[in-house]
Amino acid sequence: MKDVKFAITDIETTGGGIKGNKITEICVLVVQNGKVIDEYSSLVNPGTEIPLYIETLTNINDKMVADAPKFAEIASEIDKITKDCVFVAHNVNFDYNIIKAEFNNLELPFQRKRLCTVRLAKKLIPGLFSYSLGNICTSINIPHVDRHRARGDCEATVTLFQRCLDLDPNYEVFKAFLNQRTAASYLPPNFKNSDFEKLPATTGVYFFKDKDGIPLYIGKAKNIKSRIKSHFQEKSNRKYKLMQATYSIDYELTGSELLALLRESALILKYFPEFNKAQKKVSRPYTLTSYHNQKGIEQFVIHKNKVSPVSWMKFYTREEAIKFLENICQEFDLCPRYCGLQTGVSHCSHYKITSCSGMCKGEIDKEEYNRRVSKAVEYIQQYENSCLLVEKGRTKAEKSFIYLKKGRYAGYGFVENSDDFNGPEQFEDYLVPQTNSSYADRIVNRYLNTKKNITRLDLNTGEEVEEREAEEWFG
């Protein structure tokens, strides 16, 4: 480690995260054996206007950089001075990714090992109120002149780096950080590697939280640890800002993907996290209803805005509603024309359904046809019954359930595999009641219309029924 060269770097930029952010000034000081052995610094013409708030912060304005070289003109110098060095910066991923993006724009490679002085300081100088460069310098008496200028900040970072070297004479901490092969190399500066390693690789909901424990972003995943690692590796400006604001990550295991979706939706509506895009407004649903037409034939119809005295099911896209009706029509041998699947025709000629009950041709009497419709309605009504959807639990020893009260999401719970219950008075002890929403309605409808092998406990009979595979009903 004594002979390793460290290219300690600081840049000033036009602001705005990582993507589209352009360099206005750069300084590189190469340290070997604790001493500066080489250096490079320059203003940089970003090729774009410097925002007023950045000018106020750095005192770098458009006039100052007008005659400065563009990054393309100094790229070879940056490549040369950092080559065969460990790239070091305070909050290293910011400086490194912006410089790498500049090289990418020139279609040039830039790949260096990285070391972050924020993470070094947190490990070797624990207990400070803040680990921003200015506050660290104040706390441990490091001279810091020309703040928010590349040279001044870089010199202060060199002194901090040297202090860290003195506190780690056997290079144990340095080697540990340099040899990381996990998501730790992408971790937010305020997040601990040990906390990442504790994250579960199972299904649930996760929360990125700020320093006060307030949720900044809520998501769901089949594998929480893997999904969070992918967040760390994303380079969008929005994700960069989220990572900078994150101090902790919490999670809630659900076992079931369905429950994870429902919990994510409910928690976003509860906290309205800053970095979650607002849940899309769910449009008015399509409603499946039936009525006796003038010929006395029971007829299905799908409508969106009309009020109807009889309403059987709701769908959030017309495609879902049509697909459901097509399969009902085939399963119960009905007539496409009287299922709302064809209009303006005297006899059925459906593009998909080749069989027809013959009602449209008068080949079957209406009483028999209406009996078939009644059987279809009995099947459809099961979706409006109160039931429990039984799903995987958080461990192999338990199962989860989703409570549908008259077809609407009303709560969830977890029970041991050995626990049996067949009535409301028994399962309610385990129930976590929830408020239904249009988002929850849509999630449950999608699940019922597409999921294979649904296990449902009918609360009227107490029987647990495993439904036929979804393609038998839903294609």
Side-chain angles (χ1 to χ4, degrees):
M1 286 292 293
K2 286 184 179 181
D3 296 327
V4 175
K5 292 190 292 184
F6 299 91
I8 298 174
T9 306
D10 189 85
I11 58 174
E12 302 302 326
T13 72
T14 56
I18 293 178
K19 284 194 174 180
N21 203 346
K22 306 297 288 183
I23 297 171
T24 59
E25 189 176 35
I26 187 168
C27 179
V28 182
L29 300 175
V30 179
V31 173
Q32 187 178 40
N33 292 321
K35 296 180 180 180
V36 176
I37 63 167
D38 199 0
E39 64 178 71
Y40 178 85
S41 62
S42 177
L43 286 167
V44 181
N45 186 336
T48 187
E49 188 176 302
I50 298 173
L52 180 59
Y53 77 96
I54 293 293
E55 180 182 333
T56 303
L57 179 69
T58 65
N59 289 319
I60 299 173
N61 56 43
D62 294 330
K63 186 176 180 180
M64 287 174 62
V65 299
D67 296 325
K70 293 188 175 181
F71 188 84
E73 298 173 60
I74 65 170
S76 60
E77 294 287 342
I78 303 303
D79 182 62
K80 180 180 177 182
I81 197 170
T82 60
K83 191 174 183 180
D84 300 323
C85 294
V86 175
F87 187 100
V88 182
H90 202 72
N91 191 5
V92 69
N93 286 335
F94 176 78
D95 300 72
Y96 181 83
N97 284 321
I98 289 178
I99 291 173
K100 185 172 183 177
E102 293 276 17
F103 275 94
N104 286 344
N105 290 337
L106 300 172
E107 297 184 353
L108 295 172
F110 186 81
Q111 193 74 35
R112 306 286 188 268
K113 282 191 173 183
R114 285 167 280 172
L115 200 56
C116 182
T117 50
V118 175
R119 303 188 71 79
L120 280 173
K122 282 192 168 188
K123 185 71 174 180
L124 295 167
I125 314 172
L128 298 184
F129 175 74
S130 169
Y131 286 86
S132 69
L133 184 60
N135 285 332
I136 289 178
C137 291
T138 300
S139 298
I140 61 176
N141 298 315
I142 290 177
H144 191 185
V145 297
D146 290 334
R147 293 190 180 194
H148 304 299
R149 291 297 299 270
R151 181 87 190 193
D153 287 351
C154 197
E155 288 177 345
T157 304
V158 167
T159 305
L160 173 61
F161 183 80
Q162 290 167 331
R163 294 276 184 94
C164 290
L165 280 172
D166 292 340
L167 292 168
D168 189 30
N170 296 321
Y171 306 107
E172 293 177 0
V173 174
F174 276 74
K175 288 177 181 178
F177 281 129
L178 284 171
N179 292 330
Q180 286 174 342
R181 292 291 182 270
T182 68
S185 60
Y186 302 97
L187 289 179
N190 301 307
F191 190 65
K192 298 177 183 177
N193 180 41
S194 57
D195 289 341
F196 173 77
E197 294 302 328
K198 293 175 185 175
L199 292 172
T202 51
T203 303
V205 180
Y206 56 89
F207 312 74
F208 286 88
K209 294 183 175 181
D210 67 12
K211 60 183 178 181
D212 298 317
I214 297 172
L216 295 165
Y217 178 84
I218 296 172
K220 51 87 179 59
K222 291 173 67 175
N223 183 322
I224 291 175
K225 190 172 188 177
S226 177
R227 181 68 186 99
I228 288 174
K229 180 179 177 181
S230 72
H231 280 296
F232 293 157
Q233 295 172 324
E234 290 181 32
K235 299 295 190 296
S236 70
N237 289 342
R238 186 177 181 84
K239 282 294 167 64
Y240 170 75
K241 291 177 181 177
L242 171 61
M243 295 303 106
Q244 296 303 299
T246 297
Y247 279 72
S248 63
I249 298 176
D250 203 354
Y251 59 87
E252 177 184 312
L253 299 182
T254 62
S256 151
E257 292 177 55
L258 171 61
L259 183 52
L261 282 166
L262 290 166
R263 292 297 294 141
E264 178 196 39
S265 175
L267 290 164
I268 289 173
L269 287 174
K270 179 179 179 180
Y271 292 107
F272 291 101
E274 178 184 351
F275 288 89
N276 278 98
K277 293 181 180 178
Q279 294 200 39
K280 292 182 180 179
K281 184 178 179 180
V282 177
S283 61
R284 187 185 294 273
Y286 292 89
T287 301
L288 171 63
T289 187
S290 64
Y291 68 96
H292 270 72
N293 66 18
Q294 293 178 345
K295 297 179 180 179
I297 301 170
E298 187 73 8
Q299 183 166 344
F300 285 119
V301 65
I302 296 168
H303 63 79
K304 191 169 187 179
N305 297 311
K306 295 179 182 179
V307 176
S308 173
V310 178
S311 176
W312 298 123
M313 288 185 69
K314 289 181 171 59
F315 302 88
Y316 287 89
T317 68
R318 184 169 179 79
E319 291 72 22
E320 289 175 359
I322 294 297
K323 187 176 182 181
F324 182 84
L325 269 180
E326 286 174 350
N327 285 281
I328 286 292
C329 185
Q330 289 178 300
E331 180 67 26
F332 294 96
D333 194 16
L334 302 180
C335 179
R337 180 184 174 193
Y338 292 111
C339 285
L341 297 172
Q342 285 197 293
T343 58
V345 296
S346 58
H347 306 304
C348 292
S349 57
H350 194 269
Y351 78 99
K352 179 180 178 181
I353 301 172
T354 56
S355 61
C356 172
S357 65
M359 188 69 247
C360 57
K361 298 178 182 178
E363 296 175 355
I364 181 175
D365 63 66
K366 64 184 178 183
E367 288 76 16
E368 170 60 24
Y369 184 81
N370 287 345
R371 278 194 290 271
R372 295 182 188 182
V373 174
S374 294
K375 290 182 180 179
V377 168
E378 286 177 10
Y379 169 73
I380 292 169
Q381 282 180 315
Q382 73 175 332
Y383 289 91
E384 299 297 317
N385 291 340
S386 293
C387 68
L388 303 181
L389 303 175
V390 184
E391 289 274 306
K392 291 193 302 184
R394 297 161 297 185
T395 67
K396 291 182 179 180
E398 73 173 12
K399 53 192 173 185
S400 64
F401 65 84
I402 308 297
Y403 175 38
L404 302 186
K405 185 177 182 180
K406 295 183 178 179
R408 299 291 176 264
Y409 175 55
Y412 68 94
F414 300 94
V415 294
E416 297 297 315
N417 288 332
S418 57
D419 290 332
D420 293 317
F421 45 83
N422 55 17
E425 71 283 354
Q426 292 176 310
F427 86 85
E428 285 181 353
D429 290 339
Y430 304 91
L431 179 67
V432 182
Q434 296 290 291
T435 302
N436 188 38
S437 69
S438 56
Y439 304 104
D441 268 348
R442 185 167 192 170
I443 290 166
V444 170
N445 271 275
R446 284 277 175 88
Y447 173 89
L448 292 173
N449 290 349
T450 59
K451 177 71 174 178
K452 295 182 179 181
N453 300 326
I454 300 170
T455 301
R456 181 172 56 88
L457 179 66
D458 190 319
L459 294 179
N460 297 317
T461 65
E463 294 181 357
E464 188 172 289
V465 180
E466 186 164 323
E467 306 288 0
R468 305 180 225 193
E469 286 198 348
E471 59 252 327
E472 293 187 33
W473 289 116
F474 309 113

